[in-house]
Amino acid sequence: MTDAARAPRLLAAMAHPDDAEILVGGTLFHLKSLGWELGIMTMTSGDCGSATHTKEEISRVRHAEAKSAADYLGAWYGCVGLMDVEIFVNAESLRSVVELMRRFDPDVVITHSPADYMVDHEEASRLARSACFALSMPLYQTRQIAPAPTTRSTPALYYADPIDGVDAMGDRVFPHFYVEVTGTIEHKLEMLSLHKSQRDWLRAHHGVDEYLEQARRWGARYGQESGFEYAEGLRQHLGHGYPHEPWIQNALNSIIKTRN
Ligand SMILES: [Zn+2]
């Protein structure tokens, strides 16, 4: 059921601040330029992302960085409030995720690959998948004082690539399709650079600007596979109960290469 009056609403539901930027930042800028309403939701505020600050300090810093990165994209930002390395699917975390997702009311959700390099990403993926299913169920209550309304329908669900394009066993996970991000890669890197604490941390560690270089390398590698200069990959959840409507493929038709 598509509401012709409203712009498509896409929520990137990821584990940590910067995951959405790294994995699908270029795609998000393309959709923004088409008038889509975007949101970024992270499960945590990145409370373990420092070797020098306290958890409270780095949480505050990274929450602010995530917000300014979302502002740069022109996206809403929400944080579920879970803790790094402790993202788990349970009744309480699912209620929190559903509540925040209902507030944004997405037509399309992008989350992590179900198989990824760390459990936080895999559990975030499972949380997002379960939440998508529950969003439009009137009897699923989030037990908030002023709960957001139930959504009209289940959003279409997409998975970003796992980090490095491989699962926890090191086996390659291929996308269903590639999105060319040659035209948006610089915006993506600029957005990523707003996560200053992470950039500085990696720069101190490696002596080079590894935070941005890594993102550029990944983009170039996916580009090489797809015949573009830079690309990102996505898969759509095509199991029972989730919309099969190809929202992203249709919107970005001219810059998409489907993997055969
Ligand atoms: Zn992450």
Side-chain angles (χ1 to χ4, degrees), residues 172-175 178 220-228 257 259:
R172 188 64 209 278
V173 176
F174 286 103
Y178 298 90
R221 182 175 141 203
Y222 276 84
Q224 227 166 28
E225 280 182 7
S226 55
F228 298 129
K257 174 137 188 241
R259 207 186 146 80

Side-chain angles (χ1 to χ4, degrees), residues 24 79 98 107 111 119 132 150 168 195-196 206 225 228 253:
V24 292
C79 178
V98 170
D107 301 300
T111 188
V119 174
C132 284
T150 308
H195 295 273
K196 191 173 175 308
H206 291 261
E225 280 182 7
F228 298 129
N253 183 39

Side-chain angles (χ1 to χ4, degrees), residues 14 23 110-129 157-163 166-168 173-174 176 234-238:
M14 298 298 186
L23 295 168
I110 303 177
T111 188
H112 289 288
S113 169
D116 207 327
Y117 86 113
M118 82 176 286
V119 174
D120 267 5
H121 283 203
E122 296 180 347
E123 292 284 294
S125 180
R126 292 174 69 214
L127 275 167
R129 178 180 167 190
L157 178 61
Y158 288 81
Y159 299 113
D161 293 307
I163 298 290
V166 295
D167 66 15
V173 176
F174 286 103
H176 287 167
L234 286 163
R235 284 180 290 165
Q236 185 166 7
H237 186 103
L238 294 174

Side-chain angles (χ1 to χ4, degrees), residues 88-101:
F88 298 114
V89 180
N90 56 47
E92 198 183 347
S93 61
L94 183 61
R95 279 186 217 119
S96 302
V97 171
V98 170
E99 178 61 31
L100 208 50
M101 284 175 71

